[in-house]
Amino acid sequence: MALLAQKVRVEEDAGAQVGLKSRIAAIWAEKIGDLDRAVDAYRDLLDHAPESHAALDALEELERRRGDFGAVQEVLVRKLQAVGAGARQIPVYKKLVALAVDKHKSPDDAIGYLHEILQLQPEEPEANAKMLELLEKTERYNDLIDVL
């Protein structure tokens, strides 16, 4: 690991640095099993390559394994920015909905994310069904009438 870290420090090419940082993070996670160091390494990588989908995916998975669902939410919000505006955000919003409902027990947050999905794709069946379910569950009948 020390050799790879030294290579990162002396490497002048930004792309090569990102590649080396990715290898370091993967080694911490997969070979050594030190999730905390792997998370730190992926965060460092994302400081240099914030749009790296592979690093964001790996970091999301590691944070889930660590059970840090606040950090998972942060990673998903970063993914929203990385994928850019539009329909590609829908799968990320769906993960945020599930996280809000299942882990944070926050139907209001889930409803907010569902609104975002429905702004992007008004006829999205899963989002519409979940929206109706949550509005009824939270007794937000005026909002429920608006949706119907």
Side-chain angles (χ1 to χ4, degrees):
M1 291 299 283
L3 181 59
L4 283 175
Q6 183 179 3
K7 279 186 173 184
V8 169
R9 284 192 293 274
V10 298
E11 180 62 56
E12 293 182 15
D13 179 61
Q17 282 183 345
V18 168
L20 290 167
K21 287 175 185 262
S22 181
R23 282 185 54 201
I24 290 169
I27 290 170
W28 281 120
E30 297 162 16
K31 303 289 186 202
I32 298 173
D34 188 333
L35 299 185
D36 293 336
R37 285 202 166 168
V39 164
D40 289 342
Y42 277 115
R43 288 189 184 280
D44 181 51
L45 186 158
L46 287 165
D47 287 343
H48 295 86
E51 309 272 321
S52 171
H53 295 281
L56 288 165
D57 289 343
L59 184 57
E60 177 191 354
E61 191 266 328
L62 287 171
E63 295 293 21
R64 284 185 189 279
R65 285 175 45 194
R66 290 187 341 156
D68 188 345
F69 297 106
V72 172
Q73 182 178 4
E74 289 176 21
V75 173
L76 291 172
V77 169
R78 287 181 79 165
K79 275 188 180 185
L80 286 173
Q81 296 166 346
V83 298
R88 292 183 304 179
Q89 291 180 318
I90 291 174
V92 181
Y93 277 122
K94 285 182 176 182
K95 287 183 177 186
L96 285 163
V97 169
L99 190 65
V101 171
D102 299 335
K103 300 300 181 188
H104 293 302
K105 309 295 184 213
S106 178
D108 289 335
D109 286 348
I111 289 168
Y113 296 132
L114 289 165
H115 274 296
E116 295 295 332
I117 293 171
L118 295 172
Q119 289 291 318
L120 294 168
Q121 191 172 352
E123 300 301 318
E124 211 292 329
E126 286 179 43
N128 277 303
K130 192 67 171 177
M131 178 71 84
L132 294 173
E133 174 193 330
L134 290 174
L135 289 174
E136 187 173 345
K137 183 178 178 181
T138 58
E139 300 179 357
R140 293 172 62 175
Y141 299 116
N142 289 333
D143 292 334
L144 185 58
I145 290 169
D146 290 342
V147 170
L148 294 172

